[in-house]
Amino acid sequence: MKFLFLPVLLLISIQSFGQNELRKFNLNFETNIEGESLPKNWRKWGDYQIIKDSTIVYSGKFSSKITADSESSFGSIAYKIPSKYQGKAITLEGYMRLKNVTNGFVGLLMRLDGNGGVLQFDNMQSRGISGTRDWQKYQITLPYDHDTESIYVAGILQGRGTAWFDSFKVTIDGKDIQTLKEVEKTKTQGSNVVFADLNEGKITDLELLGRIWGFLKYHHPVIATGNYNWDLELFRFLPKYLDAETIEVRNHILLNWIASYGKVEPCEKCPPVNSNAYLRPNFKWFKQYELSRGISKQLSHIQKNRFQGSHYYIDFAPNVGNPKFKNERSYGDIPYPDAGFRLLTLYRLWNMVEYYFPYKHLTDVKWSDVLPLYITAFIDAKDELEFEIATLKLIGEIGDTHANLWGGNNAISNIRGEFYPPFHVRFIENKAVVSDFYNSELQEASKIQIGDIILAINGRPIEEIVKARAKYYPASNHPTKLRDIGEELLRSTDSSASVTYKSEGVRKKDLVKLYRDDNQNRYKWYRKDPNGKSYWWLNEDIAYITLKNIKPADIGTIKEDFLAAKGIVMDIRNYPSYFVPFALGSFFVEKSTPFVRFTVANNKTPGEFLLERPLKIQPGRKRFKGKLVVLVNELSQSQAEYTAMAFRASPKCTIIGSTTAAADGNVSAIPLPGGMRTMISGIGVHYPDGSETQRIGIVPDIEVHPTIAGIKSGKDELLEKAIELINKK
């Protein structure tokens, strides 16, 4: 990474008030770096414009200001504090000022992260603070969870309007965190497991152990009740297991290990594996790996008499059924854990997918073959970066756009960099095309324009870059993989990149300036809608609805105003801001109509998934008689895809566009060692006839792709096609 070194006094303007120079954290927004739009160490979340403000303040010389001209998302200015303290309750207090805040709220936000996920959270949404208010003091308090690794404090604006934040203060049990003494938390001890050179036999043994360890975790009654720390039990057993020099000795050690957890009593409530289940567990491996008859018999007995009560490690979301993985330590204090913990990472994730992923049968590499493929990569990872890369590639084997390295990927983020181009890149006609600028002023200053084709970056052809990066961008299908690669195609540790591109048919080369997130309104996948409303008339006959910023209050108005329209264009090339399949879907069906079926894990039998009865859309009091055209593409993911399925229930619906992200179903969070975090789709989503959507996506009735010429001229070719279909007799 390149830095411009200047005297400290030129870089940092520190405003001292009282003992401010002794403050550890810049919670009053007063410490600033020249040229940066945000106060030092503050970061931007969301889409809105966020800046430091020296004109309207509560105290000192600076506050922070969030401005929203539309209601497309939210904006938040956040600060991270390492959790190195002791106490029972943590409080954030701060001052807020509001101007014309509508259709949303303003609040202080505090989030405590640990074990690979969110432990505690509050953003004051329930208080409904909006309108126009002068400076007032507010506060929120959360239990200070012992497992907290990071404390995030923030100010948030959702809706339209302007909000200012100033003079934040964090206290733990009433004591200011600025003056609190840091406490060295008890660090995770190493596994003390040492792996000798791995030959083929040892890899097979470790593959077998991973299977048995995961099987016992989810089936054995004593282990399932949480009587043992199953992570540590693995580390205690591994040294003896690794010392086994023959198959006979290995089997003897395994048999004694399984028996050491006590006799499994017969289970009268345990149902047999359902022969009609959509997915069934496969235990053929009980008789493979040259296992002794005694081990095979033990494993079969445990499976037949498996645990049926409240499980220590697994639960299921009420009314939905996606798995909730409980009591899983993420060991965030060791971002590069030793080889034993790294093997644990592989075992944990592989077994979660093995027993609780509804799409396990759709992976490119047979899931049973994945485990041995990664044993060496995890054990031999020589540093944090190799460990994260091994985990990312393993996640990629799942083939689920929901599954990525969503947290704890610090080493990967560092090499990818914090600088981004001022424009969005999409792959159009198999070429990397500049499709949009995040800020209009950056477009005016740029030599590259919308519709230009990027050919090479720093002399490296785009085709070569895409091929090299493909394995590091997990996705359900290729269009979605390209979507994610395009977003980070020019991401860099440097503040500029040499770009070769084609503009108006002419090959050019320029140095493109790159920016941090804080210095531009960079969005990820979903195009911001400049219009504050979610619906309007395209002409006197045809109405348009975007789900990007739809609100509950919009539904009734839409049904009233658009009832007599000739046609409605429903744009789901975004992530819906509100769940509308039933509330709005009822507007488009004449009778009770099935639109979806789910496969849900059987909590009595790990690895078994049952296909439930179809869910139906019920007709509403007001029913639309015209044509409905739904727009989708690779930006349509998860809830967007589910919503498209609901609208497809209407006989008057035509879906146009291109293949969607192909990842549907409520997600289940997974914490992993090293402080990492991923997710999986937790329930299977199918059409009423049982056909799958995962990895396929919502296949449009009419395939329409944007063209480079259309992008360049500012056309929305999908929208134009929708209007054409509605007007067609």
Side-chain angles (χ1 to χ4, degrees), residues 167-443:
S167 301
F168 279 19
K169 181 179 180 180
V170 175
T171 59
I172 297 178
D173 293 345
K175 298 178 182 178
D176 191 342
I177 201 169
Q178 302 280 17
T179 60
L180 278 178
K181 182 179 179 181
E182 294 183 356
V183 177
E184 193 69 32
K185 290 192 173 183
T186 303
K187 291 188 176 181
T188 303
Q189 300 299 311
S191 69
N192 296 319
V193 178
V194 177
F195 295 88
D197 292 338
L198 296 175
N199 55 38
E200 186 177 345
K202 284 300 179 186
I203 291 174
T204 300
D205 288 347
L206 289 171
E207 175 191 355
L208 170 62
L209 179 60
R211 281 184 171 274
I212 293 178
W213 179 85
F215 170 80
L216 294 177
K217 178 178 183 177
Y218 293 121
H219 292 79
H220 198 291
V222 174
I223 297 161
T225 55
N227 289 349
Y228 293 90
N229 184 320
W230 202 231
D231 294 351
L232 298 187
E233 290 298 300
L234 173 66
F235 302 149
R236 292 190 182 102
F237 178 68
L238 263 169
K240 182 187 295 186
Y241 185 74
L242 291 169
D243 285 342
E245 296 182 354
T246 66
I247 296 295
E248 291 74 23
V249 171
R250 182 204 69 179
N251 286 345
H252 178 72
I253 292 171
L254 280 172
L255 186 62
N256 287 340
W257 183 52
I258 296 169
S260 70
Y261 296 105
K263 182 180 179 181
V264 175
E265 299 295 334
C267 171
E268 296 180 358
K269 298 180 180 179
C270 293
V273 173
N274 188 339
S275 60
N276 295 319
Y278 189 82
L279 294 177
R280 297 184 297 276
N282 185 347
F283 296 116
K284 290 181 180 179
W285 62 272
F286 285 179
K287 297 183 179 180
Q288 298 171 354
Y289 300 96
E290 299 183 71
L291 285 173
S292 66
R293 185 177 179 182
I295 296 175
S296 298
K297 188 176 180 180
Q298 276 273 38
L299 295 175
S300 297
H301 177 75
I302 294 170
Q303 194 282 323
K304 184 178 179 180
N305 300 285
R306 59 198 174 276
F307 183 68
Q308 296 292 298
S310 178
H311 206 292
Y312 184 74
Y313 291 109
I314 190 73
D315 199 358
F316 298 88
N319 303 318
V320 179
N322 57 301
K324 297 170 64 178
F325 299 104
K326 306 187 303 178
N327 297 308
E328 299 285 2
R329 292 283 307 278
S330 68
Y331 308 106
D333 56 335
I334 45 171
Y336 173 57
D338 65 27
F341 277 97
R342 298 199 298 273
L343 183 65
L344 169 66
T345 305
L346 172 60
Y347 282 1
R348 182 187 293 181
L349 181 56
W350 187 88
N351 279 287
M352 287 173 169
V353 172
E354 172 73 2
Y355 293 109
Y356 297 107
F357 182 50
Y359 303 124
K360 183 186 70 172
H361 59 297
L362 299 178
T363 57
D364 291 333
V365 177
K366 191 176 179 182
W367 191 247
S368 59
D369 295 336
V370 168
L371 181 56
L373 289 177
Y374 281 83
I375 288 172
T376 301
F378 275 85
I379 290 175
D380 289 350
K382 68 176 184 295
D383 55 28
E384 183 181 353
L385 178 60
E386 285 198 2
F387 175 45
E388 289 181 10
I389 287 175
T391 306
L392 184 62
K393 290 171 71 174
L394 173 65
I395 291 169
E397 299 284 3
I398 299 172
D400 181 9
T401 306
H402 281 145
N404 208 315
L405 198 48
W406 300 119
N409 55 340
N410 299 330
I412 290 176
S413 292
N414 287 340
I415 64 165
R416 287 181 175 175
E418 59 180 337
F419 294 96
Y420 295 84
F423 46 75
H424 193 196
V425 176
R426 288 181 64 194
F427 282 86
I428 309 294
E429 299 179 24
N430 294 318
K431 294 179 174 61
V433 179
V434 176
S435 63
D436 189 26
F437 276 78
Y438 302 123
N439 295 61
S440 58
E441 66 273 16
L442 297 180
Q443 179 177 358

Side-chain angles (χ1 to χ4, degrees), residues 409 525 695:
N409 55 340
W525 309 325
R695 306 211 67 183

